[in-house]
Amino acid sequence: METDEDLLTRYLDGKELSYEELRDALHKAVREGRVVPVVASSAHKHVGLAAILNTVREMLPSPAEAGSVIGKSPSGDEIARKPDPSDKLSAFVVQDARRPIRSGS
C-alpha cells in the first residue's frame, strides 16, 4: 500500500502481508483522507450490499475516532461536542427553502 512505507517495502520485497495489516493501513489512510473506498453494487439485482456494509464497518472511521467537533451554540458561542452518548445532542438541520414543509402526509 503506497500510503504506508513499511508495508510497501515489505510487499515489494515479496513478503506476505496479513489481512489485518492491510485493513488497518487502509482504515488509517481513509481516516486521514488519503484514500477513498469505492464499492460496486447493484440495488436492482441485490448484489453488493454485504460488501458495502463491510466496507463501512471496517474502513470508515467511527465518530469516536473523529474527536470533538467545534460548533456554535444558539447564542453564537463556540462549543465543542464529543461523540459521547451521555453528552448533549447537537444537530445541524437544513431545510430546502424551495420545498414547503408538509405535515401529516
Side-chain angles (χ1 to χ4, degrees):
M1 149 152 266
E2 293 179 18
T3 60
D4 186 310
E5 289 295 322
D6 178 52
L7 287 180
L8 180 60
T9 301
R10 288 177 44 214
Y11 173 77
L12 293 174
D13 288 343
K15 296 180 181 170
E16 191 169 325
L17 304 174
S18 72
Y19 171 80
E20 289 78 16
E21 289 174 310
L22 291 173
R23 180 200 60 214
D24 293 347
L26 276 170
H27 180 84
K28 180 181 177 193
V30 169
R31 188 178 64 240
E32 293 172 353
R34 296 182 287 138
V35 172
V36 176
V38 177
V39 181
S41 68
S42 169
H44 177 68
K45 296 188 179 201
H46 306 290
V47 174
L49 180 60
I52 291 173
L53 293 175
N54 286 337
T55 299
V56 168
R57 187 188 72 226
E58 293 187 1
M59 297 298 143
L60 300 183
S62 76
E65 291 176 285
S68 295
V69 175
I70 306 298
K72 292 191 177 187
S73 70
S75 64
D77 298 328
E78 219 175 65
I79 55 173
R81 289 279 193 249
K82 293 181 267 180
D84 182 352
S86 64
D87 203 355
K88 293 179 181 178
L89 172 68
S90 291
F92 186 71
V93 179
V94 178
Q95 176 193 349
D96 185 343
R98 295 172 292 173
R99 297 178 63 190
I101 297 174
R102 295 182 188 213
S103 61
S105 47

